[in-house]
Amino acid sequence: PSRTDTPLPVDVTEEQMVIHIDLAKRVARLAQIADIRPLTPEEHLMLMNLLTRMRIVSNGLAQFDYESIWSSLQADREPEKRLSALSSPKLITFRGLIDVLLPQSGVKIVIFSQWQRMLRLCHWAISDLLAGQGGEAVFFTGAESQRRRTENIVRFHDDPDVRLFFATDAGGVGLNLQKAASVCINLELPWNPAVLEQRIGRIYRLGQTQP
């Protein structure tokens, strides 16, 4: 069937931009050093850490500050009221997408992120929408045992109430979800374009009957 790719640009907040610029300056200083001599292993590790933190900031400050805020978020049963204060516009955009998709009968969705924390935040952000539709979500990440991951795949395939499948790139290969889902949401773009195609390929493959 046809495949439609829809990029959804999300503007960062001023709070995100301030942190992002500060991290970029530190990256630039290391790049200047690299122009003069090879980076030491410690400097190279710092460079990769800074670049990763820039990507996390782009996902939102809720992920950047996850350790300090997750316990309070987890207990909050009204995410819509809290979202605007988190400086995490991706969560708001994601909630809007799910709000449109969930009422569509039979639609199941695979959601990918490089980070378990981003998946947990997104699950929290739409928890009330999911409950309102009588739906459930399952996870396929390094946090679940192999047995639980297998159980979650079976439930996603067989249980009509299990509408969302949250996966890290641990699920980027070896999963066959084309008979269950027809929508794939990537919460961020991987550095490697092949990884993006691997993610989408979990549902866009032989056996898929839905656009």
Side-chain angles (χ1 to χ4, degrees), residues 48-72:
M48 299 309 297
N49 178 266
L50 290 169
L51 291 171
T52 299
R53 292 177 70 192
M54 289 173 75
R55 298 188 71 214
I56 290 172
V57 167
S58 297
N59 266 357
L61 296 194
Q63 185 183 346
F64 192 72
D65 298 326
Y66 182 90
E67 291 183 1
S68 62
I69 67 171
W70 176 240
S71 59
S72 67

Side-chain angles (χ1 to χ4, degrees), residues 79-146:
E80 186 175 19
K81 294 181 179 178
R82 188 84 176 270
L83 280 173
S84 60
L86 293 177
S87 197
S88 301
K90 274 192 181 183
L91 296 181
I92 297 173
T93 300
F94 177 72
R95 181 182 170 89
L97 275 175
I98 298 302
D99 198 20
V100 170
L101 290 167
L102 272 184
Q104 300 178 27
S105 178
V107 170
K108 291 196 174 194
I109 308 156
V110 180
I111 301 109
F112 274 104
S113 175
Q114 181 178 337
W115 291 281
Q116 295 177 26
R117 291 178 172 185
M118 186 63 175
L119 295 176
R120 299 289 174 189
L121 287 164
C122 283
H123 182 226
W124 166 79
I126 53 91
S127 56
D128 56 332
L129 298 177
L130 200 56
Q133 293 286 334
E136 297 180 52
V138 293
F139 285 79
F140 191 100
T141 74
E144 290 76 45
S145 66
Q146 182 61 54

